[in-house]
């Protein structure tokens, strides 16, 4: 029997400070009207001074473990997706490992920016499928606002901080109808580097740098590339778009989310959208949305849930789950 990775718990953490569009408009030349019209964003959460990515990740990870009814010592693996690590090294995942009191197994970071959670989930799923781990904590955590240039209104209004996590458990006796991750499909195209990057880093400037984005350029790629990754997922599983119960997309822009829903013929009632309240939290956006929709009972066992996301690299992908 093939092994399948089942999602057995979800958790989330948002920093307490909420920053409205109106507050941003006192710092940069923007308006609540522009931000809402172009993106759907109304507010974002921002980490407090001294609050690090590992703090956010730990809180979300603990919540996911509690939701799964599991203890840290039952974990074999932590995979943490982040673009904003506490330090250049070691991996932020190792800080979470230590803080959880987990002394065995392995913990490492994955970097695929806004597609990070899809990549991390796929990596952990593969560890479980080949039997190299039986359980995994997969976290997306970002203090993305630390990378923003507050003089660039084209980017600084778009992002927020937060963390979300899921716990995976291997089901060694899976049948085709079993719950769990059905497939994931990952892509990158390094030729599109210039569309979205940070202009710093240890081996270029020795500084952290700031986000630089050609917003329209990213937008032009987004729906087409995501739709192709979704088509791949559906074809690999012999599933039709109308069989998808929930779309849980990366939360960058409501217009991109609506474009994907339209392509799939899905009404807004089947789409989990948190972008208005969270803004774009990069690798954290999908697990934050999952934790919300699982927590309020929208996601029900056996339903087909489609995850997708795109970000810097460009890196993009999809993941199909029987919840
Ligand atoms: O998760 C990672 C992936 N990132 C994305 O998915 C982002 C994809 N792109 C987008 O979401 C959109 O392109 C943006 C929200 C970034 C921008 O929306 P847009 O409709 O593409 O606007 P634009 O860049 O074409 O700018 C239109 C106008 C410009 O003014 P002019 O040249 O027409 O006079 C900008 O200077 O809006 C101006 N503008 C602003 N105005 C008020 C740009 N940013 C702002 C702002 N407030 N914050």
């Amino acid at each position: 029997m093939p092994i399948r990775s089942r999602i057995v718990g979800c958790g989330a953490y948002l920093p307490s400070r909420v920053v409205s569009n109106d507050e941003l408009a006192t710092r940069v030349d923007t308006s609540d009207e522009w931000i809402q019209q172009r993106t759907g964003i109304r507010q974002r959460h921002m980490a407090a001074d001294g609050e690090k990515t590992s703090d956010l990740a730990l809180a979300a990870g603990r919540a996911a473990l509690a939701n799964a009814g599991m203890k840290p010592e039952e974990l074999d693996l932590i995979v943490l997706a982040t673009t904003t690590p506490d330090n250049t090294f070691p991996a932020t995942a190792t800080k979470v490992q230590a803080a959880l009191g987990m002394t065995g197994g392995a913990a490492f970071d994955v970097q695929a920016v806004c597609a990070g959670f899809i990549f991390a989930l796929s990596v952990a799923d593969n560890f479980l499928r080949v039997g190299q781990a039986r359980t995994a904590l997969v976290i997306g955590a970002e203090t993305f606002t630390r990378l923003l240039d507050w003089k660039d209104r084209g980017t600084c209004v778009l992002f927020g901080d937060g963390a979300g996590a899921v716990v995976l458990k291997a089901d060694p006796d899976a049948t085709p109808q079993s719950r769990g991750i059905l497939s994931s499909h990952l892509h990158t195209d390094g030729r599109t580097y210039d569309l979205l990057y940070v202009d710093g880093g240890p081996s270029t400037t020795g500084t952290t740098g700031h986000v630089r984005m050609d917003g329209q350029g990213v937008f032009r790629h987004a729906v087409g590339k995501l739709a192709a990754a979704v088509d791949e997922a559906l074809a690999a599983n012999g599933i039709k778009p109308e069989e998808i119960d929930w779309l849980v997309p990366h939360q960058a822009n409501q217009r991109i989310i609506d474009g994907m829903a339209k392509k799939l013929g899905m009404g807004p009632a089947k789409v989990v959208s948190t972008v208005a309240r969270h803004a774009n939290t990069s690798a954290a956006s999908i697990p934050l949305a999952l934790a919300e929709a699982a927590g309020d009972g929208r996601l029900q066992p056996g339903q087909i849930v489609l995850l997708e996301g795109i970000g810097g690299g460009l890196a993009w992908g999809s993941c199909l789950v029987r919840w």
Side-chain angles (χ1 to χ4, degrees):
M1 285 291 177
I3 298 172
R4 187 167 284 173
S5 313
R6 185 182 291 189
I7 297 178
V8 294
C10 293
Y13 174 80
L14 288 159
S16 57
R17 178 152 185 248
V18 174
V19 178
S20 68
N21 292 344
D22 283 335
E23 184 179 339
L24 280 189
T26 64
R27 290 175 76 168
V28 286
D29 181 16
T30 190
S31 66
D32 178 47
E33 189 193 2
W34 189 94
I35 300 171
Q36 286 212 45
Q37 258 180 18
R38 304 282 174 139
T39 70
I41 295 165
R42 291 201 306 266
Q43 61 172 50
R44 72 283 297 135
H45 291 251
M46 270 177 74
D49 289 346
E51 198 174 26
K52 300 192 194 81
T53 293
S54 62
D55 298 320
L56 277 56
L58 178 64
R62 280 198 171 126
L65 281 168
N67 184 240
M70 280 171 58
K71 296 192 171 62
E73 48 270 33
E74 293 176 70
L75 287 174
D76 296 335
L77 183 70
I78 300 176
V79 186
L80 190 152
T82 190
T83 305
T84 45
D86 287 13
N87 303 97
T88 302
F89 79 83
T92 302
T94 60
K95 286 196 162 183
V96 176
Q97 179 191 31
L100 283 174
M102 173 187 162
T103 52
F108 59 88
D109 293 355
V110 162
Q111 160 61 295
V113 207
C114 297
F117 185 75
I118 300 276
F119 277 60
L121 195 62
S122 176
V123 167
D125 176 39
N126 284 324
F127 268 75
L128 266 59
R129 279 177 192 256
V130 299
Q132 202 174 345
R134 285 157 306 163
T135 55
L137 177 62
V138 185
I139 309 173
E142 302 278 16
T143 47
F144 208 89
T145 59
R146 306 250 160 88
L147 291 178
L148 299 176
D149 174 356
W150 292 99
K151 292 191 191 70
D152 177 12
R153 67 177 182 171
T155 53
C156 74
V157 304
L158 303 174
F159 296 91
D161 302 330
V166 300
V167 179
L168 298 183
K169 208 170 185 174
D171 174 357
D173 303 310
T175 67
Q177 289 313 308
S178 293
R179 295 166 61 195
I181 298 174
L182 302 178
S183 70
S184 47
H185 298 271
L186 309 182
H187 296 277
T188 59
D189 183 351
R191 294 171 302 175
T192 48
Y193 167 93
D194 287 351
L195 294 178
L196 182 49
Y197 61 98
V198 161
D199 61 1
S203 85
T204 49
T205 60
T207 60
T208 305
H210 294 112
V211 174
R212 303 294 169 212
M213 180 169 78
D214 170 358
Q216 282 195 8
V218 177
F219 206 110
R220 273 195 291 275
H221 283 274
V223 177
K225 285 189 160 42
L226 290 171
V230 166
D231 286 347
E232 258 183 304
L234 297 179
N237 295 284
I239 284 177
K240 298 188 196 76
E242 53 270 29
E243 292 175 72
I244 304 168
D245 293 293
W246 292 102
L247 173 63
V248 186
H250 169 51
Q251 312 279 325
N253 186 320
Q254 190 62 45
R255 285 152 61 204
I256 298 175
I257 295 172
D258 291 344
M260 278 306 294
K262 196 170 163 202
K263 268 206 181 304
L264 290 164
M266 296 175 79
K270 289 178 130 194
V271 181
V272 178
S273 179
T274 56
V275 68
R277 287 169 288 115
H278 300 170
N280 182 347
T281 57
S282 184
S285 87
I286 293 175
L288 273 169
L290 274 179
E292 189 171 289
D296 65 21
R298 273 178 284 175
L299 307 185
Q300 288 295 318
Q303 289 185 328
I304 298 291
V305 180
L306 173 64
L307 319 178
E308 44 86 341
I310 185 166
L314 294 173
W316 68 99
S318 66
C319 199
L320 201 65
V321 182
R322 183 172 289 117
W323 197 256

